[in-house]
Amino acid sequence: MPLSEHEQRMLEQMERALYAEDPKFATALEGSGLRTYTRRRVYQAVAGFLVGIALLMAGMVAKQVWLSVVGFLVMLGCAVLAVTGWRKAPKPGEQAGGTAGPQARRQGRQRRSVMDRIEQRWQKRRDEQGGH
């Protein structure tokens, strides 16, 4: 659930106050911990993917279908974890809290307006089809 404009302003004020009071602590909390965590998660997923490949090959060599299926499922699960972890990782210099700047807010409004127009067109078509 997105924050309201008032809540975003309050959060920004609290962030500024934290930076003013203790800049060293504020920079420590800036998001490098989350970035490190997600990077480590992606590396673990890649290692798991390699283990899945090894299980798949071992199942093929041993002619054990169930082992190959387990290897494939491990590969699939690890690939999903790696992709989702990679997408959620904050970029260097980006805040982990997700407080959007004015440009990102404008893009959100534009997206909503596009979605509103599409929704209105869809509703209009449904109304026209229902009337005939």
Side-chain angles (χ1 to χ4, degrees):
M1 179 177 205
L3 298 175
S4 69
E5 299 256 347
H6 175 70
E7 291 170 333
Q8 287 177 352
R9 282 194 302 269
M10 293 289 290
L11 183 62
E12 288 170 2
Q13 287 176 356
M14 291 188 317
E15 287 175 351
R16 283 194 295 267
L18 179 63
Y19 276 106
E21 288 177 16
D22 195 355
K24 193 174 188 180
F25 179 68
T27 54
L29 293 178
E30 203 166 56
S32 62
L34 179 62
R35 194 169 41 248
T36 303
Y37 169 75
T38 53
R39 189 179 305 138
R40 186 179 324 130
R41 183 176 167 193
V42 168
Y43 290 150
Q44 289 172 347
V46 168
F49 188 84
L50 295 175
V51 168
I53 290 175
L55 286 172
L56 181 73
M57 293 298 163
M60 291 174 70
V61 169
K63 296 184 181 175
Q64 298 292 325
V65 175
W66 66 271
L67 188 59
S68 295
V69 170
V70 169
F72 176 76
L73 292 176
V74 168
M75 288 170 52
L76 183 66
C78 289
V80 169
L81 284 175
V83 169
T84 57
W86 192 262
R87 286 184 181 171
K88 289 180 182 180
K91 307 290 183 263
E94 182 180 291
Q95 291 182 355
T99 54
Q103 183 180 6
R105 284 190 210 120
R106 260 184 264 130
Q107 287 176 346
R109 286 186 195 131
Q110 288 172 351
R111 279 193 196 128
R112 272 187 268 145
S113 65
V114 169
M115 288 304 295
D116 288 339
R117 285 195 309 252
I118 292 171
E119 205 170 285
Q120 287 171 355
R121 289 178 190 164
W122 179 258
Q123 189 65 34
K124 184 179 175 183
R125 286 180 188 157
R126 286 184 59 203
D127 292 341
E128 287 174 358
Q129 289 177 354
H132 292 288

